[in-house]
Structure formats: C-alpha cells, structure tokens
Amino acid sequence: MALRASEVLPAKHWSGNAVDEITLEKDRRHRRRVLLKSDGGIEFLLDLAEATLLRHGDGLKLDDGRIIAVRAVPEPLLEVRASSPLHLLQLAWHLGNRHLEAQIEESRILIRRDHVIANMLEKLGATTAEVIEPFDPEGGAYAGGHNHDHSHHHGHGHGH
C-alpha cells in the first residue's frame, strides 16, 4: 500500500524537520489527487479533499507522520518595484486589471516575464528587473475549490 498525504501544512505554520522535499513547477502545484515522488525517491499518493495550490514552503504530511516540504522550481520572472507603497498598490491594480498572476510582497511584485507588460510598468514609473526565483502567485478570489462559472447577476447600477 502506497503512502498517502492527505494534509497540507501551510508554509510558516509548521515546524519540525521534513524528511525530504518535492520540487514542482507552478503548473504542477495545483493538485487534488496524484501519485508523486519526492526528490529523494519517496513515492506517495497526494489525496486531498479538493484541488489545492501547493505553495513554496508547504508541508505534505504523510500518513506515517513524516513531512515532505514543497519547493517551487525557480523560473524566469520580472521583479517590479515602485517609488512608494502607494505606487506599488497602483502597479498591483494595473496588473490585476490585466488578470496577470502576481506574487505580491511588501516591497515588490513578481510576475512572469512579459516585455509588453514590462514596458507598460516602466511607463508607469516602475523599476523592473529580470530574476529567477520560485513563483508563488496569489490564490485569487476564486481559489480553493471555486471555479469561474459564477453568474454576473449582481446589479451594475442600471438607472438607480
């Protein structure tokens, strides 16, 4: 019988030593049920109640109590910095308005490299730099088991 991992321990909320790591690209970290093999060769079945975005630093708790740490594969990204906290919020708004995946931090935003977007950001006064880092974008309003098949019948001020 294969080992199972049915619990995700959120990054920064678990302590102790991981027995191994599993390094996954961003597109392979949104899973519900899949056979996985850790970097060190431990095979296990990820068996979650719903599809979950595994984040860099999360722990996957095996049914024998051991923990495997999730690592995001470093990828080519664009680091966006601003002249002030307000400016960073404005830049985040512009990125969100384009529905781009973004990792938002206190002093910077990371997005996938895109020269058109980089050009737009620089025109808005941002400082950009190409970096290679793990990408852990925000989950978004519909993350966590919801899908985008929602209706838009919530009144948009038609003559009121």
Side-chain angles (χ1 to χ4, degrees):
M1 180 70 190
L3 282 166
R4 288 176 65 239
S6 54
E7 185 180 355
V8 178
L9 307 172
K12 300 182 184 103
H13 294 283
W14 62 279
S15 58
N17 294 328
V19 294
D20 202 353
E21 298 181 342
I22 185 162
T23 306
L24 300 167
E25 296 87 5
K26 154 74 174 66
D27 297 335
R28 290 188 58 223
R29 285 187 282 129
H30 190 262
R31 307 314 286 259
R32 187 186 81 77
R33 186 177 165 94
V34 64
L35 266 172
L36 295 172
K37 185 187 281 193
S38 70
D39 298 351
I42 298 172
E43 293 186 10
F44 63 98
L45 174 67
L46 182 67
D47 190 10
L48 304 175
E50 59 185 32
T52 302
L53 177 61
L54 303 174
R55 298 194 166 279
H56 185 75
D58 282 354
L60 302 177
K61 189 170 185 179
L62 300 174
D63 48 17
D64 65 4
R66 295 180 298 167
I67 297 171
I68 295 180
V70 175
R71 296 286 170 245
V73 174
E75 56 183 289
L77 301 172
L78 189 68
E79 178 184 76
V80 181
R81 292 193 181 268
S83 58
S84 70
L86 176 60
H87 187 215
L88 193 67
L89 285 171
Q90 292 166 335
L91 295 171
W93 183 88
H94 283 284
L95 292 170
N97 199 34
R98 284 156 182 81
H99 300 282
L100 295 175
E101 288 187 302
Q103 178 176 330
I104 300 172
E105 298 178 359
E106 194 171 334
S107 62
R108 68 179 188 162
I109 301 169
L110 293 174
I111 60 170
R112 287 204 167 93
R113 289 186 193 172
D114 179 322
H115 67 277
V116 173
I117 297 298
N119 189 32
M120 174 200 77
L121 290 165
E122 287 162 11
K123 285 181 178 168
L124 291 167
T127 304
T128 63
E130 292 188 350
V131 297
I132 297 177
E133 293 184 30
F135 188 41
D136 207 6
E138 295 295 313
Y142 305 105
H146 301 292
N147 59 31
H148 286 84
D149 297 331
H150 58 282
S151 69
H152 284 279
H153 302 292
H154 44 72
H156 287 285
H158 299 291
H160 295 286

